[in-house]
Amino acid sequence: MEQFRENLRDLIDDTNLSLRQLEKISGVSAMQYSRYLRNDTIPTIDVILKICKFFQCSIDYLFGLDTSKNSIRYKTYQYDISKFLPRYLDLLKENNISHFKFAETQPFNESILRHWQNGRTPRLDILYLIANHFGSSIDYLIGRY
């Protein structure tokens, strides 16, 4: 998650705006930006999309999964979380690994699958782990393209 903090810091620095000014323009509070920059917390998907919209970048760029700020493959900043579970299961199948075996190597347990099956949205740090492990994309996993 260090890459997220660094990339966010660089994007903010490039604007030459204060966090208060960013708050007014981006819709993300100065306090939230401060927390993210201190590595105190990870944004929700809705907040990260506000940040991406303002800075015109992908989630993958912010989290260091893509090195090009401008490689946005989608036209809107909407997402369709209903695509997550089928895409996650496809990645498992393509890599010939079960969810339970994969969960053994991750900082979450196998019961998280039940939460996802019941419609709970995965946290961004979990999405990052999945995308990074399988060489995929957070933006892809949440249905942005």
Side-chain angles (χ1 to χ4, degrees):
M1 303 286 91
E2 181 67 27
Q3 192 64 52
F4 165 70
R5 192 177 74 162
E6 289 176 24
N7 286 348
L8 182 60
R9 167 63 62 203
D10 289 345
L11 289 169
I12 291 170
D13 289 347
D14 288 347
T15 67
N16 292 319
L17 297 172
S18 71
L19 294 183
R20 291 280 182 219
Q21 291 169 314
L22 276 176
E23 176 178 16
K24 291 177 183 174
I25 300 168
S26 70
V28 177
S29 77
M31 185 187 307
Q32 285 174 295
Y33 279 120
S34 292
R35 285 184 191 144
Y36 305 147
L37 293 171
R38 285 192 317 262
N39 210 19
D40 289 349
T41 187
I42 302 218
T44 64
I45 291 175
D46 291 326
V47 172
I48 202 72
L49 290 176
K50 286 181 184 180
I51 293 170
C52 289
K53 184 176 183 179
F54 177 77
F55 290 110
Q56 298 182 343
C57 67
S58 66
I59 297 171
D60 295 322
Y61 172 78
L62 277 172
F63 282 85
L65 295 172
D66 189 343
T67 57
S68 176
K69 177 182 179 264
N70 298 319
S71 67
I72 299 174
R73 303 175 194 160
Y74 34 80
K75 296 183 172 139
T76 70
Y77 287 91
Q78 303 300 317
Y79 64 96
D80 181 357
I81 203 61
S82 69
K83 292 185 177 182
F84 165 72
L85 189 58
R87 289 179 174 184
Y88 169 68
L89 295 174
D90 284 346
L91 285 171
L92 292 172
K93 186 176 181 179
E94 288 168 14
N95 289 275
N96 199 27
I97 186 171
S98 71
H99 166 74
F100 302 102
K101 286 288 184 191
F102 178 61
E104 288 176 353
T105 67
Q106 301 302 313
F108 55 82
N109 63 37
E110 72 278 350
S111 66
I112 200 166
L113 182 60
R114 269 196 315 271
H115 296 291
W116 298 338
Q117 289 168 329
N118 291 327
R120 186 176 288 172
T121 302
R123 296 185 331 243
L124 271 170
D125 57 334
I126 301 294
L127 289 167
Y128 170 81
L129 291 171
I130 293 167
N132 191 46
H133 181 85
F134 291 113
S136 185
S137 160
I138 296 170
D139 291 293
Y140 168 78
L141 286 171
I142 65 169
R144 290 189 66 201
Y145 69 87

